[in-house]
């Protein structure tokens, strides 16, 4: 039943999907989940070598590595898929979407919980790395190629290396952004730099006025107007 839900979720999140036969035969993410559902069941019944073998076979065939010990919820979707790695102690909620190149990895060799926990409706953009036993709460979005090493509260959007929360970007529960972050989102670091440049421009204008009042010879123009960084 869960595998059927996995297939149905593809049609909701990928407009290129045309029919069930195509999804089963051509979507590596769906194929990887079929292998995972089998390998996870084998893991739970203590057939651990066989479970690892099935997951290794899935990696050869799909380019997606999901450890059979990982816990994955319902309607999980991996779009494109190649290069996705999900570690042994990772926990994933319902309605989660991962794009290609995503890693849910560990940061220690010690046994125990060492991989991330994802809440419901989380979207992780292509190439993003979520590292360590951290928690990404419900409705979190992670932009492409971001590196997240700290827990994130619900309804937040994270971008950059290391991951930074976009203060003005709160995710609505029914909103979906392709690759997790749309084109209108501002990087907080870029906004900070641009505010400093604006302040320098104001200082430059004030110095110009003072120089004019004192009849000082004007120096070469050093305006910072052209230094603003585009974040979109």
């Amino acid at each position: 039943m869960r595998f059927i839900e996995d297939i149905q979720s593809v049609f909701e999140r990928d407009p290129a999907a045309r029919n069930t036969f195509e999804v089963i035969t051509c979507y590596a993410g769906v194929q990887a989940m079929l292998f995972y559902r089998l390998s996870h069941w084998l893991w739970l019944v203590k057939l651990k070598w066989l479970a690892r073998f099935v997951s290794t076979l899935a990696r050869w065939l799909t380019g997606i590595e999901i450890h059979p010990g990982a816990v994955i919820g319902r309607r999980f979707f991996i779009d494109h898929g190649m290069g996705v790695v999900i570690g042994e102690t990772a926990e994933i909620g319902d309605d989660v979407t991962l794009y290609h190149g995503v890693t849910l990895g560990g940061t220690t060799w010690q046994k125990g919980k060492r991989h991330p926990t994802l809440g419901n409706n989380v979207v992780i953009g292509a190439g993003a790395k979520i590292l360590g036993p951290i928690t990404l709460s419900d409705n979190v979005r992670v932009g492409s190629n971001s590196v997240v090493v700290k827990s994130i509260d619900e309804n937040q959007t994270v971008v950059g290396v290391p991951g930074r929360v976009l203060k003005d970007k709160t995710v609505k529960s029914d909103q979906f952004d392709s690759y997790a972050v749309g084109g209108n989102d501002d990087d907080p670091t870029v906004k900070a730099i641009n505010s400093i440049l604006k302040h320098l421009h104001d200082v430059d204008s004030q110095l110009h006025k003072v120089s004019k009042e004192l009849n000082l010879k004007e120096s070469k123009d050093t305006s910072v107007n052209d230094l603003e960084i585009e974040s979109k």
Side-chain angles (χ1 to χ4, degrees), residues 17 21 25 30 37 48 59 65 89-90 105 110 116 123 128 133 136 140 142-143 146 193 228-229:
F21 180 75
T25 56
V30 172
R37 299 295 184 195
K48 295 192 174 182
R59 184 184 62 182
E65 182 174 350
T89 62
Q110 298 179 358
V123 180
L136 273 57
V140 165
V142 178
S146 300
I193 292 174
E228 183 174 345
I229 301 173

Side-chain angles (χ1 to χ4, degrees), residues 159-177:
V159 298
V161 182
R164 301 177 295 275
V165 174
L166 296 182
K167 298 298 183 183
D168 299 328
K169 178 69 172 177
T170 301
V171 179
K172 297 179 181 179
S173 60
D174 59 349
Q175 177 183 347
F176 178 77
D177 288 325

Side-chain angles (χ1 to χ4, degrees), residues 32-33 36 39 55 64-70 72 76 78 84-86:
M33 284 305 297
Y36 163 77
S39 66
S55 67
I64 298 170
E65 182 174 350
I66 306 176
H67 193 286
I72 300 177
F76 179 63
I78 302 175
V84 168
V85 176
I86 300 175

Side-chain angles (χ1 to χ4, degrees), residues 97-162:
T97 301
L98 306 185
Y99 286 89
H100 47 283
V102 168
T103 298
L104 304 183
T107 56
T108 178
W109 289 343
Q110 298 179 358
K111 293 185 180 297
K113 177 65 172 173
R114 58 190 186 278
H115 297 97
T117 296
L118 309 185
N120 300 326
N121 300 300
V122 172
V123 180
I124 310 295
K129 314 302 177 187
I130 318 299
L131 306 176
I134 63 176
T135 298
L136 273 57
S137 301
D138 295 350
N139 306 313
V140 165
R141 303 289 188 264
V142 178
S144 298
N145 296 315
S146 300
V147 178
V148 184
V149 294
K150 295 182 179 180
S151 295
I152 306 297
D153 294 334
E154 61 184 14
N155 301 318
Q156 300 295 330
T157 297
V158 183
V159 298
V161 182

